[in-house]
Amino acid sequence: VVDRGVALIQRCGSCNYGGACLFQLYNASQVVTQGAWTFMRAGDVGWAAMRPAWGTSNYTNQTSSRSSTLAGYVQPQDTWAPMILIAGEASDFDHSIEKFMDAIVNAPLNVDVHNGNTTTLTWQGHEYSLRPGPSTMKGTWVLPTIDGQPINISLKAVYNSPHMNSIIGEDSVVASYQNYKQVYNFTDDTITTSNEV
């Protein structure tokens, strides 16, 4: 499930990857652990939070002594626990990381052990639900839901966001911000810039 700055992600149960489940962090200006949550700060622009649906995780700092930003990884104690990631813009939380952290820690999170460990997070008025484990394996999967509705897996876009858009089957990507727009055309290898969106 990925929607509105929220992602519920599970390790691929049918993949032949034998290593531990790790989530890399780069270019953070601050990393804070509070309970099961790990918070990352990117200056005063935005923040992110992650935690496993159950159990705990460990943050390992791998920052170079020559770097001005933090790097490392978060490793869940249970490699099969889905990871919950939430991103937030500073302006949505009055530029206070404390308000962001408080909202995250107090967001309702439920793991239903009687329904295949279905993980449900309520965040900013929306409910995100993922049933992990065998239900995500080929032939037995159950679609994740947003607000009780199964996610749409027949999308028309590769990217569909306020700042980046690309339609499936087209050879261009449009990046925009306010009245600035760039079109990356991979058919004729051009980049077109305009000041009108």
Side-chain angles (χ1 to χ4, degrees), residues 30-52:
Q30 181 182 17
V31 176
V32 176
T33 302
Q34 183 175 338
W37 288 99
T38 300
F39 295 90
M40 291 127 300
R41 180 181 193 149
D44 290 325
V45 176
W47 310 296
M50 68 171 56
R51 68 159 290 165

Side-chain angles (χ1 to χ4, degrees), residues 4-150:
R4 297 180 196 99
V6 173
L8 275 67
I9 303 167
Q10 184 193 12
R11 179 181 180 161
C12 176
S14 60
C15 299
N16 194 19
Y17 172 71
C21 180
L22 302 175
F23 288 83
Q24 297 290 146
L25 309 177
Y26 298 102
N27 300 319
S29 57
Q30 181 182 17
V31 176
V32 176
T33 302
Q34 183 175 338
W37 288 99
T38 300
F39 295 90
M40 291 127 300
R41 180 181 193 149
D44 290 325
V45 176
W47 310 296
M50 68 171 56
R51 68 159 290 165
W54 57 81
T56 60
S57 61
N58 297 314
Y59 168 67
T60 301
N61 188 339
Q62 292 184 316
T63 304
S64 165
S65 60
R66 298 180 303 270
S67 177
S68 62
T69 60
L70 300 171
Y73 62 88
V74 173
Q75 181 177 2
Q77 179 185 31
D78 182 344
T79 196
W80 296 105
M83 286 296 284
I84 300 165
L85 293 90
I86 303 174
E89 292 185 35
S91 59
D92 292 339
F93 297 91
D94 298 327
H95 295 271
S96 166
I97 191 167
E98 291 78 16
K99 285 185 179 182
F100 176 70
M101 291 171 66
D102 187 55
I104 296 285
V105 169
N106 290 304
L109 173 63
N110 181 54
V111 177
D112 185 348
V113 297
H114 301 293
N115 188 18
N117 288 331
T118 297
T119 301
T120 304
L121 170 74
T122 302
W123 177 246
Q124 295 186 329
H126 297 282
E127 185 179 271
Y128 305 90
S129 187
L130 170 71
R131 185 172 176 199
S135 64
T136 60
M137 293 181 193
K138 186 176 180 179
T140 61
W141 53 271
V142 174
L143 285 174
T145 63
I146 300 173
D147 295 329
Q149 298 299 312

